[in-house]
Amino acid sequence: MTNVTMIVAMGRNGVIGDGERMPWHLPEDLAYFKARTMGHAMIMGRRTFDSIGRALPGRRSIVITRQHDWSHAGVETAHSLPDALFLAGPDEVFVVGGGEVYREAMPYAARLLVTEVDQSPEGSVTFPPIDPSAWVEVDRVPGEGFAWVTYERRS
Ligand SMILES: NC(=O)c1ccc[n+]([C@@H]2O[C@H](COP(=O)([O-])OP(=O)(O)OC[C@H]3O[C@@H](n4cnc5c(N)ncnc54)[C@H](OP(=O)(O)O)[C@@H]3O)[C@@H](O)[C@H]2O)c1
C-alpha cells in the first residue's frame, strides 16, 4: 500500500475540465475537498495550479513542472512525479490533478476519492479509466447532484 490518494470530481463521461476551469460549481464539494486535504501535502500539475492561482492555506502545495525557472510564493516545485512524491514524505499525500498528472499518478495510488457529478459536460480533460479489476468501491455517500465515492486498490 502506498500513501497516495487521488481526489477528483468528474462527470458521467469522465470529463474533469475544459483545459482551464472545472465545468461545474459545487460549493459542497469544494468544502469536501478542503476537509479531506487539510493538513496534508497536495501534488498538482502546473496547469491546475495556474487555474487555482494561489497556494491554498493549511496544506503544502507541490507543483510539478518541466520549467526549471518556474516558482511561486508558498509553493514547492518538483520536476517529476517521483520527485514530488519524495518531497511529500511518508504521510498521506493527495494528488489533486489535473488530467496529465492523474494519468501519471494512477499506478502509485492506493485510494481514489471520486466525486461523481451527475452531468456530462463538454471538456477536453478527462480522468483515466478506473479499472474494476484493480479498484473496489468501498464507500458511497449520495449528495444533491453528485455522490462521493471511495475506491481502494485491490490487494
Ligand atoms: N475536476 C477536478 O477534480 C479537477 C482537478 C484538477 C484539475 N482539473 C482540471 O484539469 C485541467 C488541467 O489538467 P491538465 O491535464 O491540462 O494539466 P495538469 O495535469 O494540471 O498540468 C500539466 C502540467 O504539469 C506539468 N507536468 C506534468 N507531468 C509532468 C512531469 N512528469 N514532469 C514535469 N512536469 C510535469 C507540466 O507543466 P509545465 O507545462 O509547466 O512544464 C504540464 O504542462 C483544468 O481544466 C482543471 O480545471 C479538474
Side-chain angles (χ1 to χ4, degrees):
M1 270 298 183
T2 70
N3 58 344
V4 179
T5 297
M6 303 221 289
I7 184 166
V8 65
M10 73 169 156
R12 292 182 205 280
N13 53 357
V15 167
I16 64 165
D18 63 5
E20 287 181 15
R21 297 154 29 85
M22 305 248 294
W24 41 72
H25 181 63
L26 294 172
E28 222 183 320
D29 190 51
L30 295 177
Y32 172 82
F33 176 87
K34 182 176 180 181
R36 300 311 290 253
T37 57
M38 190 52 71
H40 295 280
M42 301 184 302
I43 294 174
M44 70 194 80
R46 192 269 310 159
R47 282 189 227 133
T48 291
F49 177 77
D50 279 353
S51 73
I52 301 170
R54 66 193 169 98
L56 296 175
R59 290 148 281 183
R60 289 171 65 196
S61 294
I62 302 173
V63 174
I64 309 181
T65 175
R66 296 187 178 88
Q67 306 170 57
H68 283 266
D69 56 352
W70 190 93
S71 67
H72 197 284
V75 164
E76 298 164 73
T77 308
H79 300 294
S80 71
L81 180 62
D83 284 359
L85 292 170
F86 180 78
L87 260 182
D91 295 339
E92 185 176 22
V93 54
F94 287 82
V95 172
V96 303
E100 185 179 344
V101 169
Y102 285 137
R103 269 183 182 72
E104 290 175 58
M106 195 77 167
Y108 296 87
R111 198 156 71 115
L112 309 177
L113 301 180
V114 179
T115 302
E116 286 182 2
V117 183
D118 298 340
Q119 296 179 31
S120 292
E122 286 191 16
S124 55
V125 187
T126 56
F127 194 73
I130 300 172
D131 176 359
S133 70
W135 296 97
V136 59
E137 182 181 313
V138 295
D139 192 41
R140 175 174 288 267
V141 179
E144 196 65 41
F146 63 85
W148 286 313
V149 185
T150 303
Y151 294 88
E152 281 176 5
R153 188 180 287 283
R154 295 181 191 275
S155 48

XYZ file of all heavy atoms in Angstrom, residues 39-90:
398
model
N -4.171 19.974 5.999
C -3.069 19.446 6.802
C -2.146 18.491 6.052
O -1.134 18.061 6.604
N -2.505 18.167 4.815
C -1.716 17.207 4.031
C -0.954 17.915 2.912
O -1.255 19.051 2.566
C -2.623 16.152 3.404
C -3.315 15.287 4.408
N -2.696 14.224 5.021
C -4.559 15.349 4.923
C -3.534 13.662 5.855
N -4.677 14.325 5.834
N -0.013 17.192 2.334
C 0.631 17.681 1.116
C -0.266 17.370 -0.078
O -0.912 16.320 -0.120
C 1.989 17.021 0.933
N -0.301 18.313 -1.043
C -1.024 18.105 -2.299
C -0.018 18.198 -3.441
O 0.846 19.081 -3.447
C -2.074 19.205 -2.516
C -3.114 19.308 -1.429
S -4.361 20.555 -1.851
C -3.361 22.018 -2.056
N -0.165 17.308 -4.400
C 0.659 17.347 -5.617
C -0.249 17.697 -6.777
O -1.321 17.096 -6.935
C 1.335 15.974 -5.865
C 2.356 15.680 -4.760
C 1.993 15.935 -7.241
C 2.960 14.286 -4.837
N 0.184 18.655 -7.590
C -0.638 19.058 -8.742
C 0.239 19.448 -9.914
O 1.402 19.829 -9.746
C -1.548 20.236 -8.358
C -0.822 21.530 -8.128
S -1.845 22.779 -7.311
C -1.728 22.244 -5.607
N -0.355 19.356 -11.105
C 0.314 19.837 -12.305
C 0.327 21.361 -12.331
O -0.534 22.018 -11.720
N 1.256 21.898 -13.090
C 1.385 23.361 -13.160
C 0.124 24.013 -13.736
O -0.282 25.097 -13.312
C 2.633 23.715 -14.003
C 3.060 25.176 -13.936
C 2.440 26.012 -15.011
N 2.610 25.378 -16.305
C 1.853 25.655 -17.343
N 0.870 26.541 -17.258
N 2.050 25.038 -18.489
N -0.562 23.326 -14.669
C -1.774 23.939 -15.234
C -2.890 24.000 -14.201
O -3.640 24.979 -14.148
C -2.240 23.165 -16.473
C -1.410 23.514 -17.685
C -2.039 22.908 -18.945
N -1.004 22.266 -19.718
C -1.067 21.049 -20.244
N -2.155 20.312 -20.085
N -0.067 20.575 -20.927
N -3.004 22.967 -13.384
C -4.008 23.004 -12.316
C -3.670 24.108 -11.324
O -4.555 24.854 -10.886
C -4.100 21.628 -11.621
O -4.681 20.717 -12.551
C -4.939 21.679 -10.362
N -2.386 24.232 -10.981
C -2.010 25.329 -10.072
C -2.421 26.668 -10.682
O -2.983 27.526 -9.985
C -0.513 25.332 -9.757
C -0.165 26.512 -8.894
C -0.456 26.484 -7.540
C 0.353 27.676 -9.443
C -0.218 27.604 -6.735
C 0.594 28.787 -8.651
C 0.313 28.748 -7.294
N -2.140 26.862 -11.970
C -2.497 28.138 -12.608
C -4.000 28.381 -12.530
O -4.436 29.525 -12.371
C -2.048 28.155 -14.073
C -0.564 28.484 -14.205
O 0.068 28.829 -13.180
O -0.039 28.386 -15.328
N -4.801 27.313 -12.658
C -6.253 27.515 -12.628
C -6.725 27.881 -11.216
O -7.725 28.569 -11.055
C -7.004 26.302 -13.188
O -6.961 25.230 -12.282
N -5.994 27.410 -10.188
C -6.326 27.806 -8.805
C -5.739 29.200 -8.531
O -6.383 30.046 -7.926
C -5.780 26.786 -7.785
C -6.354 25.396 -8.037
C -6.081 27.231 -6.354
C -5.681 24.287 -7.229
N -4.507 29.405 -8.967
C -3.907 30.734 -8.953
C -3.155 31.119 -7.694
O -2.532 32.172 -7.634
N -3.228 30.261 -6.660
C -2.558 30.598 -5.408
C -2.385 29.327 -4.596
O -3.080 28.331 -4.846
C -3.383 31.611 -4.606
C -4.692 31.011 -4.145
C -5.684 32.028 -3.624
N -6.971 31.385 -3.455
C -7.436 30.925 -2.288
N -6.725 31.055 -1.191
N -8.606 30.335 -2.212
N -1.466 29.389 -3.618
C -1.306 28.259 -2.706
C -2.492 28.251 -1.748
O -2.854 29.279 -1.184
C 0.005 28.400 -1.942
N -3.136 27.091 -1.577
C -4.284 27.001 -0.670
C -3.784 26.907 0.768
O -2.815 26.201 1.044
C -5.131 25.779 -1.029
C -5.772 25.824 -2.412
C -6.499 24.514 -2.711
C -6.740 27.005 -2.526
N -4.421 27.624 1.699
C -3.929 27.664 3.077
C -4.042 26.313 3.787
O -4.948 25.529 3.496
C -4.824 28.711 3.748
C -6.005 28.866 2.859
C -5.591 28.489 1.479
N -3.104 26.072 4.712
C -3.192 24.904 5.591
C -2.728 23.605 4.971
O -2.845 22.550 5.588
N -2.227 23.663 3.728
C -1.790 22.468 3.024
C -0.545 22.784 2.225
O -0.428 23.884 1.682
C -2.870 22.000 2.027
C -4.099 21.448 2.676
C -5.336 21.715 1.866
N -5.813 23.080 2.028
C -6.911 23.553 1.470
N -7.643 22.800 0.684
N -7.282 24.802 1.688
N 0.369 21.817 2.137
C 1.531 22.030 1.263
C 1.098 21.862 -0.190
O 0.399 20.910 -0.520
C 2.622 21.002 1.572
C 3.310 21.213 2.903
C 4.205 20.036 3.228
N 5.318 19.894 2.302
C 6.051 18.779 2.189
N 5.761 17.697 2.902
N 7.060 18.743 1.340
N 1.524 22.784 -1.042
C 1.284 22.666 -2.482
C 2.593 22.323 -3.159
O 3.546 23.109 -3.110
C 0.762 23.985 -3.071
O -0.512 24.289 -2.566
N 2.641 21.138 -3.777
C 3.823 20.730 -4.539
C 3.412 20.718 -6.006
O 2.513 19.960 -6.404
C 4.318 19.343 -4.098
C 4.652 19.355 -2.601
C 5.523 18.912 -4.936
C 4.995 17.991 -2.016
N 4.018 21.600 -6.789
C 3.632 21.764 -8.195
C 4.679 21.098 -9.079
O 5.878 21.344 -8.925
C 3.481 23.267 -8.543
C 3.220 23.445 -10.036
C 2.345 23.888 -7.735
N 4.212 20.260 -10.007
C 5.114 19.611 -10.964
C 5.156 20.441 -12.241
O 4.111 20.799 -12.796
C 4.638 18.194 -11.326
C 4.344 17.374 -10.081
C 5.687 17.467 -12.151
C 3.897 15.960 -10.415
N 6.367 20.737 -12.689
C 6.547 21.487 -13.931
C 7.847 21.032 -14.596
O 8.773 20.590 -13.910
C 6.588 23.004 -13.660
O 6.890 23.693 -14.878
C 7.631 23.389 -12.621
N 7.900 21.136 -15.912
C 9.159 20.866 -16.624
C 9.985 22.147 -16.782
O 11.089 22.095 -17.297
C 8.864 20.254 -18.002
C 8.180 18.900 -17.897
C 8.012 18.184 -19.238
N 7.396 16.891 -19.026
C 6.072 16.658 -18.998
N 5.232 17.649 -19.209
N 5.601 15.450 -18.770
N 9.414 23.277 -16.355
C 10.115 24.571 -16.485
C 11.021 24.765 -15.267
O 10.535 24.892 -14.149
C 9.112 25.725 -16.527
C 8.040 25.577 -17.604
C 6.960 26.626 -17.432
O 7.247 27.826 -17.427
N 5.724 26.189 -17.273
N 12.311 24.834 -15.522
C 13.244 24.893 -14.394
C 13.323 26.270 -13.761
O 13.887 26.429 -12.681
C 14.616 24.344 -14.807
C 14.585 22.844 -14.865
N 14.957 22.044 -13.805
C 14.146 22.008 -15.830
C 14.759 20.775 -14.118
N 14.270 20.724 -15.350
N 12.744 27.287 -14.414
C 12.763 28.624 -13.824
C 11.405 29.004 -13.226
O 11.169 30.160 -12.900
C 13.176 29.669 -14.874
C 12.260 29.626 -16.098
O 11.411 28.695 -16.184
O 12.398 30.503 -16.972
N 10.503 28.007 -13.080
C 9.154 28.316 -12.569
C 9.177 28.330 -11.039
O 9.748 27.450 -10.402
C 8.155 27.261 -13.056
C 6.722 27.616 -12.786
C 5.870 28.259 -13.616
C 5.980 27.330 -11.582
N 4.631 28.411 -13.011
C 4.684 27.848 -11.760
C 6.287 26.714 -10.374
C 3.696 27.758 -10.784
C 5.299 26.630 -9.401
C 4.020 27.148 -9.618
N 8.566 29.337 -10.445
C 8.390 29.331 -8.986
C 7.191 30.205 -8.645
O 6.738 31.015 -9.466
C 9.645 29.853 -8.274
O 9.830 31.216 -8.555
N 6.691 30.003 -7.431
C 5.551 30.801 -6.980
C 5.588 30.834 -5.463
O 5.928 29.829 -4.825
C 4.235 30.179 -7.473
C 3.088 31.132 -7.412
N 2.444 31.464 -6.237
C 2.472 31.827 -8.387
C 1.476 32.327 -6.503
N 1.474 32.566 -7.802
N 5.214 31.961 -4.890
C 5.242 32.103 -3.427
C 4.372 31.033 -2.768
O 3.245 30.776 -3.209
C 4.730 33.490 -3.042
N 4.906 30.416 -1.731
C 4.134 29.464 -0.938
C 4.020 28.084 -1.554
O 3.246 27.252 -1.066
N 4.787 27.847 -2.619
C 4.663 26.598 -3.368
C 6.018 25.907 -3.444
O 7.034 26.567 -3.597
C 4.164 26.925 -4.807
C 4.380 25.768 -5.750
C 2.704 27.329 -4.770
N 6.014 24.567 -3.304
C 7.225 23.782 -3.564
C 7.150 23.272 -4.998
O 6.069 22.954 -5.482
C 7.311 22.615 -2.587
C 7.411 23.073 -1.132
C 7.112 21.935 -0.159
O 7.951 21.043 -0.002
O 6.012 21.948 0.428
N 8.299 23.188 -5.636
C 8.336 22.795 -7.040
C 9.071 21.468 -7.191
O 10.070 21.240 -6.525
C 9.077 23.871 -7.868
O 8.481 25.130 -7.586
C 8.981 23.602 -9.347
N 8.550 20.602 -8.080
C 9.237 19.354 -8.424
C 9.224 19.227 -9.942
O 8.357 19.794 -10.614
C 8.540 18.167 -7.773
N 10.200 18.480 -10.467
C 10.315 18.357 -11.928
C 9.971 16.969 -12.429
O 10.158 16.679 -13.613
C 11.706 18.817 -12.367
C 11.956 20.252 -11.994
N 11.241 21.294 -12.554
C 12.756 20.809 -11.068
C 11.632 22.437 -11.991
N 12.539 22.173 -11.086
N 9.462 16.140 -11.530
C 8.919 14.839 -11.940
C 7.979 14.373 -10.843
O 8.049 14.851 -9.701
C 10.039 13.809 -12.129
O 10.570 13.447 -10.865
N 7.124 13.400 -11.171
C 6.205 12.877 -10.147
C 6.974 12.159 -9.031
O 6.689 12.405 -7.850
C 5.168 11.967 -10.807
C 4.156 11.367 -9.841
C 3.311 12.431 -9.157
C 3.269 10.364 -10.574
N 7.946 11.294 -9.337
C 8.703 10.667 -8.238
C 9.366 11.694 -7.318
O 9.382 11.521 -6.093
C 9.742 9.797 -8.961
C 9.083 9.467 -10.265
C 8.297 10.697 -10.634
N 9.895 12.773 -7.886
C 10.496 13.820 -7.041
C 9.435 14.469 -6.149
O 9.688 14.771 -4.976
C 11.160 14.908 -7.903
C 12.489 14.448 -8.467
O 12.904 13.298 -8.180
O 13.113 15.231 -9.213
N 8.254 14.684 -6.699
C 7.165 15.285 -5.914
C 6.760 14.344 -4.775
O 6.537 14.790 -3.642
C 5.969 15.583 -6.816
N 6.680 13.039 -5.058
C 6.302 12.073 -4.024
C 7.377 12.013 -2.941
O 7.068 11.905 -1.749
C 6.095 10.687 -4.645
C 4.879 10.587 -5.582
C 4.904 9.262 -6.344
C 3.574 10.716 -4.800
N 8.636 12.109 -3.337
C 9.732 12.106 -2.373
C 9.646 13.340 -1.469
O 9.751 13.244 -0.242
C 11.082 12.059 -3.105
C 12.254 12.064 -2.182
C 12.636 10.905 -1.518
C 12.971 13.237 -1.946
C 13.715 10.907 -0.639
C 14.041 13.243 -1.073
C 14.416 12.089 -0.414
N 9.398 14.504 -2.095
C 9.251 15.757 -1.325
C 8.097 15.660 -0.332
O 8.184 16.174 0.786
C 8.923 16.909 -2.282
C 9.991 17.870 -2.742
C 9.348 18.929 -3.646
C 10.665 18.547 -1.558
N 7.025 14.988 -0.745
C 5.820 14.915 0.099
C 6.081 14.139 1.371
O 5.482 14.425 2.412
C 4.674 14.281 -0.693
N 6.949 13.121 1.303
C 7.276 12.356 2.502
C 6.319 11.202 2.738
O 5.485 10.876 1.891
N 6.420 10.586 3.932
C 5.738 9.310 4.165
C 4.244 9.419 4.520
O 3.534 8.422 4.456
C 6.507 8.718 5.355
C 7.045 9.907 6.073
C 7.310 10.955 5.042
